[in-house]
Amino acid sequence: MKIWQRRAIGILTLGGGSIGIAAAITLLLTRTNPIEWIFCIAFMAVYAWGVWCGVRLLEGQLGAERSSLRYWLAQVPAFGSPLLGYFLSSGFHTTVSVQFAPLKLNGNFLLGSTFNYSLFQPNQPWFIGVNVFAVAVAWLLARGGQQSAP
């Protein structure tokens, strides 16, 4: 991996994780349901992991690509149903999804960090999506980790 790629991904990972923590804290302070607190704290932990991964990338530590790869892979899926929904992005996302009943193709992008969750919400539609940007970053990290291996 080229140094500029490592730095760009490191900054995006570190900054996105920091913004995600701030967003999760803001959401946590507005919630009254303890189950929602658990979700917010869980997402804060994931974003804290992103901060740690970003620092490791920027410092050029051994194995930083591998831990960051896992962090970015956690951002690839997006799905929702009346039972459970999940979406996570850190720093930037470009997501393509297909919604069922009614059938609809959606696209979304955002500079910043966001997360969504749902649990037992019967009005939620069925959809499945992919964060294309996270796939590209994960591919770069996987490729870069293989090139830097002895």
Side-chain angles (χ1 to χ4, degrees):
M1 176 179 293
K2 295 178 182 165
I3 191 73
W4 71 267
Q5 291 171 326
R6 185 183 188 98
R7 287 180 181 162
I9 294 171
I11 290 168
L12 192 61
T13 306
L14 172 63
S18 300
I19 292 168
I21 290 171
I25 288 171
T26 302
L27 188 63
L28 178 70
L29 295 175
T30 63
R31 302 298 172 199
T32 57
N33 186 340
I35 293 174
E36 290 181 304
W37 297 342
I38 293 168
F39 277 103
C40 288
I41 291 168
F43 279 105
M44 278 192 290
V46 172
Y47 283 125
W49 175 34
V51 169
W52 177 76
C53 289
V55 168
R56 292 188 71 215
L57 274 173
L58 289 171
E59 291 178 348
Q61 291 184 1
L62 191 62
E65 290 96 348
R66 190 173 40 246
S67 60
S68 297
L69 172 62
R70 291 184 190 117
Y71 177 69
W72 283 92
L73 286 174
Q75 299 176 54
V76 170
F79 59 87
S81 74
L83 291 176
L84 179 69
Y86 169 85
F87 177 72
L88 170 76
S89 76
S90 177
F92 183 83
H93 78 88
T94 302
T95 305
V96 177
S97 63
V98 176
Q99 177 181 313
F100 309 101
L103 187 61
K104 187 170 26 171
L105 181 64
N106 294 314
N108 190 8
F109 70 94
L110 173 75
L111 177 61
S113 299
T114 187
F115 65 94
N116 279 323
Y117 60 88
S118 63
L119 191 61
F120 302 117
Q121 294 185 359
N123 60 339
Q124 292 293 325
W126 287 86
F127 75 90
I128 188 164
V130 173
N131 181 345
V132 180
F133 184 76
V135 169
V137 172
W139 178 78
L140 275 172
L141 288 166
R143 205 173 121 242
Q146 291 172 357
Q147 289 176 353
S148 64

